[in-house]
Amino acid sequence: MRLVPVHNELVKLGFLDYHADMKKAGEDRLFPLAGRNSRGQMIADFSRDFGRYLTKIGLKSGRGLSLYSFRHGVFDAYRRAGYLDEQFNFMLGHASGNKVTGGYGILPQGILEQRVELVNAIAYPDLKLDHLRDKRESPEAQVATG
């Protein structure tokens, strides 16, 4: 379990509203359709299907691009923002290199403000999200959401 703040772009896109809607609907999970497979893995089937989807829409041919590419992209985004691996590894669940002092204390690494700063440092300069914002802010979307 990791404490990871919600990125400010996801907040702008309505992720917190989605969370509230799930709670109102009585769901105890954020993504209720994400179930465990026969080996107990949470999104293994989705991960496999995502790779097939990338192939279907022409973004992938052969190996190399997968659901885990997002994780690699986060590493690159942190490095692009000027952070060293040691400064953000804890956010991605990677253990500290020092096994002696890494186990000292009971508090998790990184105060909340630091975690917020790190999450919001993730940026993809060529990523365009305007079409998602426009859809959310359009009069049709406002009528649909009440």
Side-chain angles (χ1 to χ4, degrees), residues 95-104:
S96 168
N98 187 332
K99 293 185 183 199
V100 175
T101 60
Y104 287 176

Side-chain angles (χ1 to χ4, degrees), residues 58-101:
L59 289 178
K60 174 182 177 177
S61 64
R63 300 180 59 90
L65 192 59
S66 72
L67 184 62
Y68 293 97
S69 298
F70 289 110
R71 187 180 192 99
H72 293 275
V74 169
F75 272 87
D76 287 340
Y78 278 138
R79 291 170 181 159
R80 200 171 31 252
Y83 290 97
L84 301 173
D85 292 6
E86 296 79 28
Q87 294 174 287
F88 63 80
N89 271 338
F90 74 95
M91 291 285 286
L92 298 164
H94 293 206
S96 168
N98 187 332
K99 293 185 183 199
V100 175
T101 60

Side-chain angles (χ1 to χ4, degrees), residues 10-127:
L10 290 175
V11 172
K12 291 177 189 174
L13 292 172
F15 189 75
L16 297 181
D17 295 332
Y18 169 78
H19 176 256
D21 290 345
M22 290 293 101
K23 287 181 86 165
K24 276 189 228 171
E27 296 291 346
D28 57 348
R29 294 187 353 205
L30 191 56
F31 303 106
L33 298 179
R36 295 191 185 279
N37 67 10
S38 61
R39 295 187 305 193
Q41 298 166 320
M42 195 62 179
I43 62 166
D45 294 339
F46 176 77
S47 179
R48 183 192 63 242
D49 293 342
F50 186 74
R52 291 177 181 157
Y53 174 73
L54 292 176
T55 300
K56 181 179 176 181
I57 64 172
L59 289 178
K60 174 182 177 177
S61 64
R63 300 180 59 90
L65 192 59
S66 72
L67 184 62
Y68 293 97
S69 298
F70 289 110
R71 187 180 192 99
H72 293 275
V74 169
F75 272 87
D76 287 340
Y78 278 138
R79 291 170 181 159
R80 200 171 31 252
Y83 290 97
L84 301 173
D85 292 6
E86 296 79 28
Q87 294 174 287
F88 63 80
N89 271 338
F90 74 95
M91 291 285 286
L92 298 164
H94 293 206
S96 168
N98 187 332
K99 293 185 183 199
V100 175
T101 60
Y104 287 176
I106 58 171
L107 295 175
Q109 291 189 61
I111 58 173
L112 183 57
E113 292 82 4
Q114 181 185 29
R115 289 170 185 263
V116 168
E117 177 186 321
L118 283 167
V119 164
N120 289 327
I122 298 169
Y124 303 98
D126 296 327
L127 180 63

